[in-house]
Amino acid sequence: MSILEQFSLEGKTAWITGASYGIGFAIAKAYSQAGAKIVFNDINQDLVDKGLASYKEEGIDAKGYVCDVTDEAAVNELVKKIEAEVGSIDILVNNAGIIKRIPMHEMSAEQFRQVIDVDLNAPFIVSKAVIPSMMKNGHGKIINICSMMSELGRETVSAYAAAKGGLKMLTRNIASEYGEYNIQCNGIGPGYIATPQTAPLREIQPDGSRHPFDQFIIAKTPAARWGSTDDLMGPAVFLASDASNFVNGHVLYVDGGILAYIGKQP
Ligand code: NAP
Ligand code: GCO
């Protein structure tokens, strides 16, 4: 197999969860360009329709389904539907996620549980639903979208950091338990990426200045910029392709160097 063929996703079916827009959409676009058939889900029909329109604009014939990834029965039903309508799932990206930025002493247990449910329980539910077919087929790629908060904490994101830290270890455990079936499970740890999820952290202030957190991230990133979803496309293709068949249990941080850097002196 040539080195370029190692990065091809021709003939593969990829399911990216929560991929109507944002990071999931960019990863799906990259997989389509690498030859994969694209399946995505989102939490309601309106988002799925918007996603389908966006994929169509990119010339991608994606299949979209409504599914709340925290609903195990719905996820199991959707896997059966995908396998009947599209084919076996070769690549799963657990992308769907939420964040609640609330000081921990003000966060309710219900709010904490909601974040854990989407960001940690759902990757378990969805991975568990696709692994049996991957075992039968003798191959599979599972990619969990982790975070800087898989390694670092900060104010107001206790639930999110707990979930993403757990997701890093779930990634390692799936790699450990299913590596013998030629299933590789790895993580991508995006740095700070300009998407709707981080829009509140980049809002221009009333006086026209940049958000303090925006300035903080620029100072903390050697690349001195926020990441774009395009920055994740190549790493995502690598982890979904034959080029990474001996990479397992790894979290690939795509962060412009944040984790390596003490930060620019103010
Ligand atoms: P986003 O813009 O908020 O998109 C998240 C997507 O997931 C949305 O389409 C959302 O739908 C969907 N979703 C949420 N809950 C769901 C559920 N229960 N079932 C199905 N779909 C659901 O987020 P993003 O910035 O693209 O981030 C995508 C992933 O990357 C997340 O796991 C996030 O934690 C992670 N991440 C983001 C960054 C960053 O800087 N942006 C950095 C590191 C990691 P709704 O619109 O209905 O909520
Ligand atoms: C925050 C941000 C981060 C990013 C991302 C960083 O409030 O700190 O939302 O958590 O979303 O996870 O990798």
Side-chain angles (χ1 to χ4, degrees):
M1 187 189 294
S2 75
I3 191 63
L4 284 181
E5 284 167 340
Q6 285 191 37
F7 286 86
S8 169
L9 302 182
E10 286 293 341
K12 297 288 181 24
T13 297
W15 175 18
I16 304 93
T17 67
S20 293
Y21 57 88
I23 288 173
F25 182 82
I27 290 176
K29 203 165 63 173
Y31 288 1
S32 176
Q33 289 170 14
K37 280 189 279 183
I38 302 304
V39 174
F40 76 102
N41 71 292
D42 224 309
I43 202 151
N44 60 51
Q45 192 60 54
D46 182 44
L47 271 174
V48 169
D49 292 343
K50 283 181 180 157
L52 286 169
S54 303
Y55 284 111
K56 194 170 178 198
E57 271 174 36
E58 297 283 345
I60 299 171
D61 178 23
K63 292 280 182 290
Y65 299 90
V66 177
C67 180
D68 176 346
V69 290
T70 66
D71 180 342
E72 185 167 25
V75 166
N76 291 338
E77 269 312 299
L78 178 55
V79 168
K80 289 191 190 120
K81 198 167 188 177
I82 294 169
E83 290 178 344
E85 295 178 3
V86 184
S88 284
I89 297 158
D90 303 297
I91 302 159
L92 167 66
V93 180
N94 285 306
N95 167 77
I98 62 170
I99 190 167
K100 292 183 186 296
R101 299 184 182 95
I102 304 166
M104 195 178 104
H105 66 286
E106 296 171 9
M107 177 178 261
S108 70
E110 180 50 31
Q111 288 168 320
F112 188 92
R113 273 193 289 268
Q114 285 167 358
V115 177
I116 297 291
D117 212 15
V118 179
D119 294 3
L120 180 57
N121 293 344
F124 159 76
I125 287 168
V126 182
S127 301
K128 178 186 164 195
V130 304
I131 280 171
S133 294
M134 291 181 171
M135 291 167 73
K136 186 159 59 68
N137 295 336
H139 65 86
K141 296 280 187 180
I142 297 174
I143 295 144
N144 293 321
I145 307 300
C146 297
S147 161
M148 294 287 94
M149 275 58 218
S150 297
E151 301 293 344
L152 303 170
R154 83 172 187 87
E155 300 78 4
T156 77
V157 296
S158 59
Y160 185 83
K164 294 297 187 180
L167 186 57
K168 174 176 72 173
M169 284 316 301
L170 178 62
T171 299
R172 290 181 178 166
N173 215 78
I174 292 172
S176 306
E177 195 162 2
Y178 296 98
E180 66 179 286
Y181 300 98
N182 190 30
I183 296 169
Q184 291 85 48
C185 181
N186 292 288
I188 288 177
Y192 279 82
I193 311 295
T195 72
Q197 192 245 50
T198 55
L201 305 175
R202 291 177 281 109
E203 276 169 3
I204 298 299
Q205 302 301 285
D207 65 4
S209 64
R210 297 176 78 150
H211 191 293
F213 195 89
D214 180 356
Q215 298 175 54
F216 169 67
I217 290 304
I218 298 297
K220 279 288 285 178
T221 310
R225 66 174 175 86
W226 282 70
S228 80
T229 56
D230 288 359
D231 290 315
L232 298 164
M233 293 170 78
V237 169
F238 166 62
L239 289 178
S241 71
D242 289 331
S244 62
N245 284 349
F246 204 54
V247 177
N248 207 9
H250 182 73
V251 178
L252 178 56
Y253 287 100
V254 185
D255 66 353
I258 293 178
L259 287 179
Y261 186 37
I262 194 170
K264 189 172 289 300
Q265 183 180 349

